[in-house]
Amino acid sequence: MDLSYILNELGEERENYFNAVSPPIIQTSNFTFKTVAHFREALSNEYDAMLYSRGNNPTLSILRKKLAALDGAEDALVFSSGVAAISVPIISLLKQGDHAVVVENPYSWTIKLFNNLLPKFGITCTYVNGTSVQNIEDAIQANTKLIYLESPNTFSYELQDLAAIAQIAKPRGIITMIDNSYCGPLYQQPIALGIDLVAQSATKYLGGHSDVVAGVVTGSKAMLSHIFDNEFMNIGPTLSPHSAWLLIRGLRTLPLRMQRGFETAKVVTAWLQQHPAVDKVIWPFNTDFPQAELAKKQMRGCGSMFSFTLKNASVQSIEAFCDKLQHILMAVSWGGHESLIIPAIAGVPVQAFDSDNPRHVLIRMYVGLEDADYLIKDLAQALA
Ligand SMILES: *Cc1c(COP(=O)(O)O)cnc(C)c1O
């Protein structure tokens, strides 16, 4: 399917709403029926029916069709946050006594899901360094039901070989799931590589304007309808029609924004790399990135977020640099129009800071839609 068709037309039945170019926000909780027979049919199969907006809603349907097509998946479910798009499918697919192999250092709330929430239901996990496929294979147990990946992660950017891991999982009947927020559908297509479920925080690149919190998971109809009919409807992580509309609008410019961020990140990372105050820059499309070859093999492009370290990093030097920035904002999240910075030390109590801990000294920068020169000028004055 053409990308232009997906983003501009797919799912948009304009003749149903006055041929308006922009779809309506169908702000309704429920839908009516003319006959008991139609009512009965909808109640018996809510996955395919417009019955109640905790389940389906026409504005959400447009979005779901586009997101499924972007990932090359049969269907998509949308959620009120990225975390819900990760947690609800996992809660749905695992049961008491099951085990998951989980890549090291995933998103912070994914760690809390596996460490705090799932153990309450008797589900265990083993964290592995996913840069080696062998580590993942070695961690598989008789009760392993899920291999959970995040490639790359959004802080230290380690990758996993998705095709190789899918090949290990398939014959054993193990479900594979990835958090693909960093690359998004344009720069990485996990389903084509054999991964079963692709989750993303739509808050990031898909929304793209820092004004909506949402999530999506794509995969087979069989898997998604099971999740929908059970935990999705029971937990109720519904996205509002207004948020869905914002995401449809965000998608119109996704290719432009991704390309712009990718190009600007090339310029900014190259500039940082040669700066005398900078120690190293970690970005999957850097030639000296340890997994550069794998990055080029399975990613069509690179997200515009990277991390870097300062020479002689200390709490004082990192704080002084970040506090001096005039235009690059200090905030969590990423994927919007605005460039952002997070020093790892913001999340580490000052007494616990260890300059020999490679994760403590990282400064994460997300490149937004500003001009490269504008960002470099800000970085230059803060590094001076
Ligand atoms: C932000 C983020 C999430 C969580 O998404 P929310 O929309 O904030 O719930 C999950 N994974 C990654 C990689 C993220 O950056």
Side-chain angles (χ1 to χ4, degrees):
M1 217 180 288
D2 287 333
L3 180 60
S4 297
Y5 173 75
I6 296 170
L7 299 180
N8 293 298
E9 293 162 71
L10 179 65
E12 299 183 66
E13 296 163 22
R14 294 187 170 114
E15 64 281 9
N16 290 343
Y17 39 83
F18 309 104
N19 296 308
V21 169
S22 173
I25 300 168
I26 307 288
Q27 190 69 41
T28 187
S29 54
N30 46 357
F31 300 85
T32 67
F33 298 89
K34 283 258 162 47
T35 66
V36 173
H38 284 130
F39 204 173
R40 184 182 296 120
E41 193 184 313
L43 282 165
S44 72
N45 179 15
E46 195 166 348
Y47 184 70
D48 291 317
M50 289 297 161
L51 175 79
Y52 188 55
S53 285
R54 171 151 43 77
N56 286 323
N57 172 283
T59 311
L60 271 65
S61 292
I62 297 171
L63 175 65
R64 285 173 57 188
K65 284 184 185 137
K66 290 183 191 294
L67 291 172
L70 284 172
D71 270 349
E74 282 177 13
D75 204 355
L77 286 179
V78 290
F79 297 76
S80 53
S81 72
V83 155
I86 294 166
S87 303
V88 173
I90 293 175
I91 292 166
S92 177
L93 296 166
L94 300 188
K95 62 175 194 319
Q96 189 176 17
D98 285 347
H99 171 259
V101 175
V102 182
V103 69
E104 252 174 19
N105 300 316
Y107 179 67
S108 55
W109 286 96
T110 305
I111 299 177
K112 289 172 191 170
L113 169 72
F114 282 104
N115 285 356
N116 304 338
L117 196 149
L118 294 173
K120 291 209 273 188
F121 303 99
I123 296 163
T124 56
C125 84
T126 307
Y127 290 104
V128 296
N129 177 335
T131 57
S132 145
V133 177
Q134 192 62 47
N135 291 346
I136 293 193
E137 188 161 16
D138 290 347
I140 293 172
Q141 306 177 2
N143 58 341
T144 301
K145 289 284 155 57
L146 173 74
I147 297 176
Y148 185 86
L149 309 171
E150 190 177 308
S151 183
N153 77 34
T154 53
F155 200 58
S156 45
Y157 309 94
E158 289 89 359
L159 309 182
Q160 300 99 54
D161 186 330
L162 304 184
I165 293 167
Q167 266 177 16
I168 289 171
K170 279 251 153 53
R172 294 173 166 91
I174 299 171
I175 297 165
T176 49
M177 179 170 179
I178 185 174
D179 181 337
N180 196 38
S181 302
Y182 180 82
C183 286
L186 302 187
Y187 288 168
Q188 186 161 264
Q189 293 264 290
I191 286 183
L193 299 173
I195 300 298
D196 296 312
L197 288 172
V198 180
Q200 281 181 82
S201 169
T203 311
K204 314 295 167 51
Y205 278 133
L206 301 179
H209 295 76
S210 301
D211 53 12
V212 61
V213 175
V216 54
V217 68
T218 58
S220 70
K221 256 194 179 121
M223 233 177 238
L224 294 190
S225 65
H226 173 84
I227 296 166
F228 177 93
D229 288 336
N230 296 283
E231 285 71 14
F232 183 92
M233 286 305 293
N234 228 158
I235 295 171
T238 314
L239 188 67
S240 76
H242 181 247
S243 293
W245 185 89
L246 285 170
L247 289 174
I248 293 167
R249 185 165 77 159
L251 287 180
R252 311 281 194 207
T253 56
L254 181 66
L256 290 172
R257 292 184 287 102
M258 294 298 296
Q259 193 187 1
R260 165 82 173 186
F262 184 23
E263 294 304 324
T264 309
K266 284 181 200 165
V267 177
V268 174
T269 52
W271 182 85
L272 280 170
Q273 200 105 57
Q274 55 73 49
H275 194 284
V278 172
D279 183 29
K280 63 170 191 281
V281 178
I282 308 170
W283 190 51
F285 268 40
N286 262 359
T287 46
D288 66 353
F289 184 71
Q291 297 174 286
E293 204 178 313
L294 178 60
K296 287 269 157 58
K297 189 180 98 180
Q298 67 185 13
M299 293 159 58
R300 295 174 181 177
C302 201
S304 62
M305 192 154 63
F306 56 86
S307 294
F308 63 101
T309 56
L310 301 179
K311 283 188 183 138
N312 305 318
S314 65
V315 172
Q316 291 72 26
S317 67
I318 297 169
E319 268 190 38
F321 161 71
C322 293
D323 290 355
K324 268 201 208 132
L325 291 166
Q326 300 286 307
H327 302 292
I328 299 165
L329 304 171
M330 234 191 301
V332 297
S333 198
W334 54 276
H337 52 87
E338 78 289 9
S339 291
L340 297 171
I341 213 145
I342 302 185
I345 54 160
V348 177
V350 175
Q351 325 78 271
F353 176 77
D354 174 6
S355 61
D356 291 330
N357 182 331
R359 293 181 68 80
H360 281 191
V361 294
L362 291 179
I363 301 170
R364 183 181 89 172
M365 178 169 175
Y366 164 73
V367 162
L369 301 178
E370 303 93 334
D371 284 329
D373 288 351
Y374 185 71
L375 298 174
I376 286 171
K377 235 189 291 169
D378 199 18
L379 292 167
Q381 64 81 22
L383 286 169

